[in-house]
Structures are given as C-alpha cells and as structure tokens.
C-alpha cells in the first residue's frame, strides 16, 4: 500500500510511534525513526531491521525541541531514503510539573515538524506532496482536570492541524490529527503512579487501547486521500471515528 513511500516518525522508539513504524514498514514504506531515547531507539530499530530489511528503517537520536537537530534529521532522511512523503509528529510527554517542557514537546515541536514537512514535501517547493499526521489526544477535545496543561498542548495540536486543511489544495499536503483515548504505553503507565484513586478508576473504567490499534488509525490517515484537516478519534467503544465540530470558515490559502 505504501511501496516507495518514505515516512519520518518522531517519538518512534516505543509505544504508539513504534507500533506505527512497524505497521508502515509492513505496508511497504521506508521509515526514519527519530527519538530522544537513543538506547531504546537503536534497539527498536535494530529489531525492525532484522524483521524487515536494514535498508528500510533507520534511527536518528533527536530531541524534537532542538530545531536545528530536527531540521538536520529531516535532511538526513531525505538523503538516505531519497524523498519524504509522510510525517508523523508523535513525540510527546505527560508531565504537569514540567509544563513548559511539555508545551515545547507536545505543541511547539509539532508545529516545527509540520513546518519542516511542508518545506520538504510541498509541491509548490519542488516536493512531491505528502501527508502529515499530528498525534493529539482525546485530551485535545475534552478537559481533563488531572492534566490541564497536557490538554492545552493537545487542544493546540487539534486547532493547528484543522487550520491547515487548505494545504491539500495549495501544496499537495494533507494535514490531519489523531486523538486516541488512553493507550497502553509508558506515558499512561508512568503517569498512573502520580494519579489519585479517582483518576486511576477512570482510566480503568475506560480501558486501554493497544498502540497497534492507534497505529491502524495512523495508517488510515496516511492512505485515505480524501481526508485533510480531519480529527480522527480512536476509542475502545467506537474504534476509528471522525470528530465533527462546528464548521471552520473557508479560506483560500492556509497561513503557515
Ligand atoms: N498512551 C496514551 O494514552 C495516549 C493517548 C493519546 C495520545 N497519546 C500521545 O501519543 C504520543 C505517543 O505517546 P505514547 O503513548 O506512545 O508514549 P511513550 O511514552 O511510550 O512514547 C513517547 C515517545 O516520545 C519520545 N520523546 C519524548 N520526548 C521527546 C523529545 N523531546 N524528542 C524526541 N522524542 C521524544 C519518548 O522517548 C518516547 O519514545 C504522544 O504524543 C502522546 O501524548 C498517547
């Protein structure tokens, strides 16, 4: 399905990013994995090189908040794999105590990664077009009293991604975002430790998606050429769905 496509995925060492890497590889794409965690990233990449092919997947240690390093990783991906078609801005943390850092990773770096994706893929800049998927969260659509800044960062990702739907026409780039409910990864399991009993009970009652289920939604957004500015939700109850909001005012060209 994705033969000859090149994907760049941030936060790819583990969790949702790793599941998405594996699924895109399974579907024929080449994947450039980026993560700040060098040890886990290298180990995940080397397992995938054995499972698939060493020429189809590479790892670069990058902190997405370091703009120059992130830009260099985009360049490296293009040089090694000969192009770029899919960007998954997925790296994220959940830590209300480090709230400025969280905004930098969860929102500022997503904007930066989107800008770089547009720079490299835009048909009006010599690129071949492509798709950008920004990982938000159900916390980007609702309030969560136990994680207000996390919610703010993810609401930002949703608003930003929706606002770029016209890039599909002007630049040949479809920008969409995905809002999963709780998934069984380190971000939830680590923050469970600091959660009060009521919040733990809430997570338990909703249940945990597998990262593989979220990756299916990512694949769907990567391949469904009709979607631009869409907000996909992924929940245990309803699977993949699209969030319907008030209509956005029509503009001719998104400003980025
Ligand atoms: N797990 C959930 O319940 C859930 C639900 C909705 C949305 N999300 C979002 O999914 C995304 C992936 O999270 P996950 O659940 O797989 O958690 P995870 O903690 O398993 O993975 C996050 C990855 O991001 C990397 N990362 C963190 N800071 C980074 C930085 N500065 N630069 C580069 N990489 C960095 C981590 O090293 C890690 O590999 C996040 O954006 C998260 O907010 C998760």
């Amino acid at each position: 399905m994705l033969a000859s496509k090149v994907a760049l995925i941030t936060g790819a060492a583990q969790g949702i990013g790793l599941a998405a890497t594996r699924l895109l590889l399974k579907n024929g794409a080449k994947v450039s994995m980026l993560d700040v965690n060098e040890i886990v990233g290298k180990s995940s990449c080397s397992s995938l090189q054995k499972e698939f092919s060493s020429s189809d997947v590479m790892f670069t240690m990058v902190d997405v908040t370091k703009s120059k390093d992130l830009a260099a990783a985009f360049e490296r991906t293009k040089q090694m794999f000969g192009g770029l078609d899919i960007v998954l801005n997925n790296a994220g943390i959940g830590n209300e105590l480090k709230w400025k850092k969280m905004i930098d990773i969860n929102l500022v770096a997503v904007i930066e990664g989107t800008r770089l994706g547009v720079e490299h893929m835009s048909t009006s800049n010599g690129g071949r077009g492509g798709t950008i998927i920004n990982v938000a969260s159900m916390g980007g659509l609702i309030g969560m009293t136990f994680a207000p800044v996390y919610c703010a960062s993810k609401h930002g990702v949703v608003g930003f991604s929706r606002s770029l739907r016209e890039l599909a026409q002007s630049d040949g780039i479809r920008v969409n975002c995905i809002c999963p409910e709780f998934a069984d990864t380190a971000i939830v399991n680590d923050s469970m430790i600091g959660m009060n009993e009521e919040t733990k009970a809430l997570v338990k009652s909703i249940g945990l998606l597998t990262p593989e289920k979220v990756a299916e939604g990512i694949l769907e957004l990567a391949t469904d050429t009709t979607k631009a500015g869409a907000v996909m939700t992924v929940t245990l109850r309803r699977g993949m769905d699209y969030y319907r909001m008030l209509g956005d005012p029509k503009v001719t060209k998104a400003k980025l």
Side-chain angles (χ1 to χ4, degrees):
M1 207 188 312
L2 296 174
S4 79
K5 301 285 184 202
V6 177
L8 178 151
I9 300 183
T10 70
Q14 60 180 35
I16 292 169
L18 177 59
T21 300
R22 179 173 280 111
L23 191 57
L24 295 197
L25 282 166
K26 255 189 195 164
N27 280 274
K30 291 185 191 298
V31 183
S32 173
M33 305 168 73
L34 275 50
D35 205 288
V36 71
N37 189 335
E38 187 171 24
I39 295 173
V40 178
K42 276 186 173 166
S43 150
S44 298
C45 181
S46 106
S47 306
L48 290 168
Q49 284 177 333
K50 285 179 199 126
E51 193 178 334
F52 297 91
S53 151
S54 57
S55 57
D56 284 352
V57 54
M58 64 188 247
F59 173 75
T60 309
M61 199 274 270
V62 181
D63 177 343
V64 291
T65 65
K66 305 260 170 15
S67 306
K68 276 192 186 155
D69 295 352
L70 187 60
F74 271 73
E75 285 292 348
R76 181 165 182 252
T77 301
K78 247 184 152 171
Q79 272 166 18
M80 301 289 287
F81 287 153
L84 184 64
D85 307 279
I86 300 165
V87 174
L88 177 66
N89 289 305
N90 162 76
I93 62 167
N95 188 334
E96 296 291 310
L97 297 175
K98 297 189 176 161
W99 65 269
K100 284 191 181 169
K101 183 178 177 188
M102 185 161 63
I103 296 274
D104 273 349
I105 297 171
N106 291 9
L107 178 59
V108 179
V110 167
I111 296 172
E112 194 77 51
T114 303
R115 291 179 68 91
L116 286 164
V118 172
E119 186 185 314
H120 285 281
M121 300 190 296
S122 170
T123 48
S124 55
N125 200 23
R128 54 194 192 208
T131 180
I132 299 175
I133 301 154
N134 292 330
V135 179
S137 161
M138 200 51 95
L141 300 170
I142 58 169
M144 299 195 303
T145 50
F146 53 93
V149 181
Y150 181 82
C151 277
S153 70
K154 297 299 187 179
H155 273 71
V157 172
V158 171
F160 174 68
S161 307
R162 291 180 70 192
S163 301
L164 298 178
R165 72 181 194 279
E166 296 297 329
L167 290 180
Q169 269 77 51
S170 58
D171 296 74
I173 296 175
R174 300 182 299 103
V175 182
N176 296 292
C177 69
I178 185 163
C179 295
E181 230 165 37
F182 296 115
D184 190 4
T185 69
I187 209 172
V188 166
N189 296 327
D190 292 352
S191 50
M192 287 280 267
I193 298 162
M195 281 179 191
N196 62 27
E197 290 310 312
E198 195 188 3
T199 312
K200 280 185 194 164
L202 171 79
V203 175
K204 225 174 163 188
S205 70
I206 292 174
L208 295 175
L209 292 157
T210 60
E212 288 72 26
K213 199 78 208 158
V214 181
E216 284 173 24
I218 289 165
L219 177 66
E220 171 80 11
L221 286 172
T223 51
D224 179 353
T225 54
T226 66
K227 293 290 184 301
V231 180
M232 176 189 273
T233 55
V234 186
T235 62
L236 278 176
R237 280 159 297 135
R238 299 166 67 105
M240 283 177 225
D241 201 359
Y242 287 94
Y243 196 71
R244 285 163 205 88
M245 298 162 133
L246 290 175
D248 298 324
K250 177 112 179 82
V251 289
T252 49
K253 168 98 169 80
K255 239 186 162 18
L256 182 62

